[in-house]
Amino acid sequence: MKHEEIEDCLKKAVKGIKRIESMAQFANDRQKMIDLVNHHLFPCGEDLILLTLKGHLIIENLLDTNLCRLLAVQNLPVGQGRLGFKQKLYLLKEAVIQCEEPGPNSDLFSVIDALNELRNQIAHKLKNPLEIQRDTQIFVKNNRAKLGIKLGSDKPLSAQLKACIIKLCNFLNKVMLHFFKLEQKNDE
């Protein structure tokens, strides 16, 4: 074998290893999402406050994961250079919108923004349980159709909210998959 052929084989091997590492990272990220939902969202029961706060944290974690993969960094900055929830959301949304190939329905970013507003109302204002229930009902009612949820009002509000949060998690997983596929395509 000539030196050039050996070099070419090594380049292909390195490319293959990077592809496998990328696939493993995607699988790990997906498993992390499943674990977050199973360990943090489902145990909330019917507590609307806990569901909203934990759901928001899970969504923020998935925004972080998506941005870390896009920026090829281990972690986003903390402390002084820290990005807020809305900054992360808008940054990821713009990445999806400006992508040369169509990605998942970017309209769902507005639902994530609405969940953030609901979370802020609950976390920063003292409200009685009826106000929290009303605000949650408004969130679910206004966003159920965008998320493709056909739940009737016979389902408990907590189940409807959980379904919305799970749909948002699945959406962010689709965003991750979209960018993973683009990365794989560009590596070919």
Side-chain angles (χ1 to χ4, degrees):
M1 236 182 193
K2 294 181 183 177
H3 179 70
E4 294 85 22
E5 290 173 336
I6 294 171
E7 229 177 80
D8 191 45
C9 283
L10 286 173
K11 285 180 184 177
K12 287 179 182 178
V14 168
K15 196 178 210 180
I17 290 169
K18 286 184 179 179
R19 189 178 197 122
I20 290 168
E21 287 173 343
S22 180
M23 292 164 110
Q25 183 66 58
F26 176 76
N28 287 340
D29 290 343
R30 178 147 173 70
Q31 186 60 50
K32 182 180 172 184
M33 179 197 76
I34 292 166
D35 291 344
L36 285 170
V37 169
N38 286 337
H39 296 115
H40 297 284
L41 192 66
F42 289 141
C44 294
E46 295 187 14
D47 186 332
L48 295 176
I49 294 172
L50 203 52
L51 279 168
T52 303
L53 297 177
K54 291 241 182 169
H56 183 273
L57 282 171
I58 292 168
I59 295 298
E60 185 165 18
N61 194 288
L62 295 173
L63 290 172
D64 289 353
T65 300
N66 269 288
L67 289 172
C68 284
R69 296 304 157 256
L70 276 172
L71 299 171
V73 297
Q74 286 296 105
N75 297 299
L76 294 177
V78 293
Q80 198 169 25
R82 181 183 175 280
L83 297 172
F85 186 91
K86 279 202 181 228
Q87 292 166 316
K88 294 172 189 177
L89 179 64
Y90 292 144
L91 187 58
L92 187 59
K93 178 182 177 182
E94 284 305 311
V96 169
I97 290 171
Q98 293 182 24
C99 190
E100 55 202 47
E101 293 198 21
N105 181 359
S106 61
D107 290 344
L108 294 185
F109 284 107
S110 67
V111 181
I112 295 173
D113 195 29
L115 178 65
N116 185 51
E117 293 301 319
L118 177 63
R119 178 257 179 212
N120 288 342
Q121 289 173 10
I122 289 172
H124 298 294
K125 296 177 186 165
L126 293 173
K127 292 187 168 204
N128 68 48
L130 289 176
E131 290 175 309
I132 292 168
Q133 185 173 357
R134 183 200 70 224
D135 291 346
T136 305
Q137 283 173 328
I138 291 168
F139 168 79
V140 168
K141 181 183 174 200
N142 290 346
N143 296 293
R144 188 171 42 206
K146 287 181 190 173
L147 292 166
I149 295 174
K150 305 282 191 261
L151 290 175
S153 58
D154 60 320
K155 301 282 184 191
L157 183 56
S158 59
Q160 294 179 55
L161 178 59
K162 235 181 253 183
C164 289
I165 293 167
I166 290 168
K167 286 282 191 173
L168 291 174
C169 290
N170 287 332
F171 164 69
L172 289 172
N173 187 64
K174 287 178 186 175
V175 169
M176 193 182 325
L177 178 61
H178 175 69
F179 285 113
F180 170 76
K181 286 180 178 178
L182 288 176
E183 180 185 313
Q184 296 299 308
K185 184 178 170 184
N186 290 337
D187 284 347
E188 290 176 353

